[in-house]
Amino acid sequence: MDLGLQGRTVVVTGASGGIGRHVAAQFGAEGAEVVVTYRESKDDAARVAEEIAGRTLVARYDQTEEGAAEGLRDAVLAWSGRIDVLVNAAVTWTPPSADGPLGFEAVPDAAWLEVVRTNVEGAVRLTRAVAPAMRAQGWGRLVHLSSTLVTDGEAGTEYYATAKSALHGFSRTVAFALGADGDILSNVVVPALTRTVRNTVMTDAFGPAYVARSALGRLLEAREVANAVVYLGSGANTGITGQAVAVTGGA
């Protein structure tokens, strides 16, 4: 299947590791020009870029910093002249719930507010920044990475799940706001616990519980989630928008 990505400019946040790394690589394999962003590890991002056969840009993007979204947008437009696809995969992880009877209520305000604000505002600000370019060219794809914690719940992830659930409402309404201005689609991909090179401690601890609920009897690999992201962000997708697409192995 021709995914219609040849020569498209794709921005992947959080592309130096985890699911984002596979998303960037697979967009590159489809002929897209890929912007590989990172927060801390430029070396990891550079290695991802080296694995992509086509044209790439390695760019630092820290969604907690003021003006980061506009700075990234300007750098991409200066490099490519266009922004066709945005994948919001960067995350700020939740602080653990405090031990004892107070549980999540005892997490300091500064800690939980950082998780909620940066995860929500990071995706919202960058989407706002790139939207004018997509409107001008009459074509665009937005894909936001969420989590089944939004629907399944898990003690200790209250604030992360709060932030991710907000993305569902944002993406749904943005689909209507941008869809009238051209072939511009917005979707959320909702993975369950997924095996990546960075989360082996988590998959070792919680993997068996997820496997027990999976129709496939295993955890998905990051590349399998990336397949769905790339399709939703491609020209082959012409009718899926405003949706939250679960990629969970049936869990």
Side-chain angles (χ1 to χ4, degrees):
M1 178 184 293
D2 180 6
L3 295 185
L5 287 166
Q6 192 71 37
R8 297 284 190 189
T9 298
V10 179
V11 179
V12 183
T13 70
S16 62
I19 294 173
R21 157 185 212 107
H22 292 268
V23 170
Q26 289 176 225
F27 270 113
E30 294 295 332
E33 299 180 349
V34 184
V35 180
V36 180
T37 82
Y38 68 95
R39 180 180 180 181
E40 295 178 347
S41 180
K42 184 176 182 179
D43 290 343
D44 286 347
R47 279 191 287 272
V48 174
E50 288 172 1
E51 295 168 2
I52 297 173
R55 190 166 176 250
T56 60
L57 173 68
V58 174
R60 184 176 181 274
Y61 171 66
D62 183 346
Q63 62 183 3
T64 69
E65 294 180 354
E66 187 73 24
E70 295 78 13
L72 178 60
R73 174 203 60 200
D74 293 347
V76 175
L77 290 176
W79 176 70
S80 171
R82 58 188 300 121
I83 298 174
D84 297 292
V85 183
L86 169 62
V87 179
N88 280 310
V91 297
T92 299
W93 295 108
T94 184
S97 292
D99 292 333
L102 291 181
F104 73 91
E105 305 98 308
V107 176
D109 282 354
W112 73 261
L113 283 169
E114 179 184 8
V115 171
V116 173
R117 290 193 62 184
T118 56
N119 282 300
V120 175
E121 291 182 11
V124 171
R125 287 184 186 279
L126 192 50
T127 301
R128 282 168 51 91
V130 305
M134 292 183 176
R135 288 185 194 271
Q137 64 201 23
W139 199 97
R141 300 288 184 269
L142 301 163
V143 186
H144 316 279
L145 269 290
S146 182
S147 168
T148 53
L149 292 170
V150 170
T151 52
D152 294 349
E154 183 72 41
T157 65
E158 295 83 4
Y159 306 112
Y160 181 74
T162 296
K164 288 302 185 182
S165 64
L167 287 183
H168 292 223
F170 177 66
S171 177
R172 176 71 175 169
T173 52
V174 163
F176 285 87
L178 294 176
D181 292 328
D183 185 7
I184 306 173
L185 313 179
S186 177
N187 290 288
V188 175
V189 167
V190 189
L193 181 63
T194 301
R195 197 182 304 280
T196 76
V197 296
R198 287 186 173 178
N199 72 349
T200 53
V201 172
M202 188 179 299
T203 53
D204 288 347
F206 301 105
Y210 278 85
V211 168
R213 300 201 298 265
S214 170
L216 299 180
R218 63 178 177 84
L219 296 181
L220 293 187
E221 303 290 336
R223 59 178 174 75
E224 295 177 290
V225 177
N227 286 337
V229 174
V230 172
Y231 175 77
L232 290 171
S234 76
N237 173 26
T238 59
I240 303 173
T241 192
Q243 305 302 306
V245 181
V247 186
T248 66

